[in-house]
Amino acid sequence: MVRQVRAVRTRRALVRAAAEVFAEDGYALASLPVISRRAGVSTGALHFHFPSKDLLAREVEAAATVSVQRLVVREGAGLQLLVDVSRDLVAALAVDPVLRAGFELGGDPSRKSAEGPGRWWCEWVHALLREAQGAGELARGVSPEAAAVAVVASVAGFGRLASRHRVRSSSPLLEQFWALLLPGLAAPSRRRPVLPGPRAAGTDRTPR
């Protein structure tokens, strides 16, 4: 039992250390010895858990995908859910190196990956906007696919800003983005979603 607990802790330390190095240096320049030193474990222990850098990167992507999947599990639907999740995703990207690295690995030109949180997030946004269209939430003529591209690209950009300047710098920009997009996105007859202002610590994550 003690060995199992130690192995889990070592694996988590390696994933976090790898995420930090991948986010800082990129996949191609990331060094396994640097990752093992940052994790505080031997290179032998690293290779025991992850025989290759690619397997380590895949584990980071898998962990990041799970984080995004947990983030979207809440009450609510449609545009309000999208607004609220985008706010919390940007906030999480500012403080979670595993989540941040998971997204960046998917767009790293040195490593072509079809998996990871970026792909899952894109598919989720597409599906949610198609559901919103079916429920009459979208304005006439709005393409769920085009709207999803705008949302996915913008939230990714705000996430990068959040990781460098923390949420205080990116949250107002995200609010301005939704203030500009929602008038053209939402059907006039439907209640306008609440904009994503900063969420106070300890408050409920469910849509208002």
Side-chain angles (χ1 to χ4, degrees), residues 53-143:
K53 185 166 69 171
D54 178 66
L55 289 176
L56 186 50
R58 288 176 182 271
E59 185 70 12
V60 171
E61 289 181 313
T65 301
V66 170
S67 294
V68 179
Q69 292 171 341
R70 290 174 176 169
L71 195 65
V72 305
V73 177
R74 64 182 79 193
E75 294 179 6
L79 294 180
Q80 184 64 67
L81 178 60
L82 181 57
V83 168
D84 290 342
V85 170
S86 70
R87 173 201 60 201
D88 290 351
L89 177 56
V90 168
L93 285 166
V95 298
D96 186 345
V98 176
L99 185 60
R100 186 162 62 250
F103 272 90
E104 293 182 359
L105 282 168
D108 193 313
S110 66
R111 181 176 177 276
K112 297 180 180 180
S113 174
E115 303 301 326
R119 177 180 177 179
W120 192 92
W121 163 247
C122 183
E123 292 175 351
W124 183 83
V125 173
H126 272 90
L128 189 66
L129 285 169
R130 285 194 294 268
E131 290 178 4
Q133 184 185 48
E137 284 195 63
L138 300 188
R140 182 176 299 178
V142 170
S143 164

Side-chain angles (χ1 to χ4, degrees), residues 121-196:
W121 163 247
C122 183
E123 292 175 351
W124 183 83
V125 173
H126 272 90
L128 189 66
L129 285 169
R130 285 194 294 268
E131 290 178 4
Q133 184 185 48
E137 284 195 63
L138 300 188
R140 182 176 299 178
V142 170
S143 164
E145 290 73 22
V149 170
V151 172
V152 169
S154 298
V155 170
F158 294 133
R160 290 190 181 92
L161 286 175
S163 67
R164 297 177 183 176
H165 307 293
R166 302 306 178 186
V167 180
R168 289 183 180 179
S169 297
S170 62
S171 184
L173 294 176
L174 180 63
E175 185 174 355
Q176 292 174 27
F177 163 76
W178 280 116
L180 289 170
L181 184 65
L182 284 174
L185 184 63
S189 60
R190 302 303 292 261
R191 178 177 176 271
R192 189 70 53 80
V194 178
L195 293 178

Side-chain angles (χ1 to χ4, degrees), residues 20-31 34 38 108:
E20 292 172 351
V21 175
F22 289 148
E24 293 170 6
D25 301 335
Y27 177 78
L29 297 178
S31 164
V34 170
R38 183 169 296 200
D108 193 313

